[in-house]
Amino acid sequence: MTLVDRRTKTAGFLRHQLLFVTGRLRRSSDRKDGADADQHLDFLDVGQRRAGQPGTLQKSPQAEADSFTSLPLPTGDARFVERPSARAALEQGFAAWRDGRPTLMAVTGPRGCGLTTLLNQAPAWAPPGASISPMTLSMRPATTADALSLAAAAFGSAITHDSIDAAANEINEMPARMILVDNGHFLYSRLMGGGEGIRALQALMVATQGRHLWLLACETQAWRRQCDTSQTDRYFDEIVELPYFERDDFATFLAARNAGLTDSEIDALLKVSRGHPALALFIVARKRSGEIQGIPTPFDESPLRRLARTELLAMAEMSAHGALTATELQSIFRRDAQSIGILLHHLRQSGLILSASRTEQDDDNRLQPLLVPEINAYLVRANYLY
């Protein structure tokens, strides 16, 4: 019996999902009874928008459209909202490294909180004359060779050795450099036999920290898993936590994006977005374009409560890993391809996950970015995440 076979009134359930979780912002006042009711969040077309365009601004000039972008901001961008405590912690670590102290640093936060944007500001806060290289992970390094290839690209020099110890000695002979590692969630894996490349890169970071500074940006759930399974935090000298925006920073963020909201609207938007920048911009853009008249009410969790346990577990693993293919989910859950395919199809139809091509045979599956705060909060309360 399949996952779908165990359900009752599946069509009605999917309709409920589409109305409340995925799609357009609908008004419950559209009902026949004509009752005046609040607007509810609904995201069917969000995943179909191009990255960086959280809303449709048909009547807005390019400058206004740019103000609503959810893409990471470059170094020195005027729209960047500085978190003084985060900057102070990073500058303290940079100073320790400049003074010769071996330094490993991490900045962690929930997905969409601005880790990449913060990492992009690091060059402006680094010691004068520091050499800086980015290392943006696009997938988990599978082998030692993958890890060495990433290091060679970051240091701009071929690494002639194929063992970590020899490669570390070679890298320690190179001029001192800051390496900014983004997408650190790819350094966590529950996959069978999938840890060699991850362990190799982590060992390289530890073995070269006396010469070079490594700054790792990692999403909260992946970081907690790494600390729980490998005690990763023991090796880091500075760990900076970057939460979603709180009230004052949230108001500053909206002012920098010319949102034009009143104090009461800012409070309502903070409640529904939980301080998530991209979700806030999505709602503001829809309001500005006239698609909605005001700030909607918070997300309705009832569709999440209707999901099967395996579906919730699958979303928890996607949250911790960042993205997983169907094959990887089969490995984690020891399920056959058909049942995993049904599970993923249902989550996609519900608007809770998005899929993007990784290879010709397999797609990456990840949580819908604008729903991450709500999904993760629910999974934590239900003890699927911590």
Side-chain angles (χ1 to χ4, degrees), residues 11 20 53 86 88 110 129 147 153 162 169 207 210 235 255 267 305 317 361 365:
F20 287 94
Q53 296 181 342
D162 58 4
N169 291 333
Y235 301 100
D267 291 336
R305 292 194 290 269
E317 292 304 321
Q361 293 78 28
N365 301 282

Side-chain angles (χ1 to χ4, degrees), residues 10-208:
T10 305
F13 171 76
L14 288 178
R15 180 177 180 278
H16 184 82
Q17 295 280 71
L18 291 173
L19 287 175
F20 287 94
V21 182
T22 64
R24 293 163 285 278
L25 281 160
R26 278 191 196 197
R27 304 166 191 262
S28 52
S29 57
D30 290 340
R31 296 173 303 184
K32 292 181 180 179
D33 57 17
D36 191 13
D38 294 326
Q39 300 174 100
H40 293 279
L41 277 176
D42 191 21
F43 290 111
L44 181 62
D45 57 350
V46 170
Q48 299 170 356
R49 298 185 190 276
R50 289 182 356 190
Q53 296 181 342
T56 301
L57 301 172
Q58 298 175 349
K59 299 180 180 179
S60 303
Q62 185 60 40
E64 183 172 348
D66 289 345
S67 72
F68 288 99
T69 180
S70 59
L71 292 173
L73 301 178
T75 305
D77 194 290
R79 295 166 295 180
F80 173 66
V81 178
E82 181 179 304
R83 320 279 189 98
S85 59
R87 176 173 179 172
L90 291 178
E91 288 182 332
Q92 179 178 337
F94 296 162
W97 171 65
R98 180 196 58 202
D99 295 340
R101 189 182 108 189
T103 306
L104 272 178
M105 303 179 67
V107 55
T108 72
R111 188 174 311 173
C113 71
L115 292 178
T116 300
T117 291
L118 183 69
L119 214 59
N120 289 344
Q121 310 311 309
W125 305 335
S131 297
I132 303 172
S133 294
M135 179 188 289
T136 301
L137 304 177
S138 58
M139 63 179 63
R140 280 172 283 279
T143 65
T144 298
D146 291 339
L148 294 177
S149 177
L150 288 168
F155 285 96
S157 177
I159 297 177
T160 58
H161 297 85
D162 58 4
S163 73
I164 291 300
D165 289 341
N169 291 333
E170 187 175 351
I171 289 173
N172 281 330
E173 295 299 321
M174 299 178 183
R177 182 173 292 272
M178 290 176 58
I179 309 297
L180 309 180
V181 185
D182 200 5
N183 295 336
H185 55 271
F186 284 121
L187 296 183
Y188 168 74
S189 176
R190 275 190 60 192
L191 303 173
M192 184 71 70
E196 177 191 328
I198 293 173
R199 290 191 297 270
L201 185 57
Q202 291 172 334
L204 204 60
M205 293 166 64
V206 172
T208 60

Side-chain angles (χ1 to χ4, degrees), residues 287-353:
K287 181 178 182 295
R288 183 71 63 86
S289 67
E291 296 177 59
I292 59 174
Q293 299 304 311
I295 305 301
T297 58
F299 181 82
D300 178 13
E301 287 185 346
S302 60
L304 293 172
R305 292 194 290 269
R306 294 171 183 249
L307 294 178
R309 181 172 182 272
T310 306
E311 292 171 323
L312 294 170
L313 286 169
M315 289 199 299
E317 292 304 321
M318 290 179 207
S319 179
H321 288 82
L324 287 169
T325 66
T327 302
E328 290 169 340
L329 285 167
Q330 290 175 53
S331 173
I332 291 173
F333 291 108
R334 303 292 192 270
R335 301 284 291 272
D336 60 82
Q338 182 181 16
S339 62
I340 290 296
I342 292 172
L343 180 150
L344 290 173
H345 177 73
H346 182 249
L347 291 177
R348 278 193 295 268
Q349 290 296 101
S350 301
L352 296 170
I353 68 170

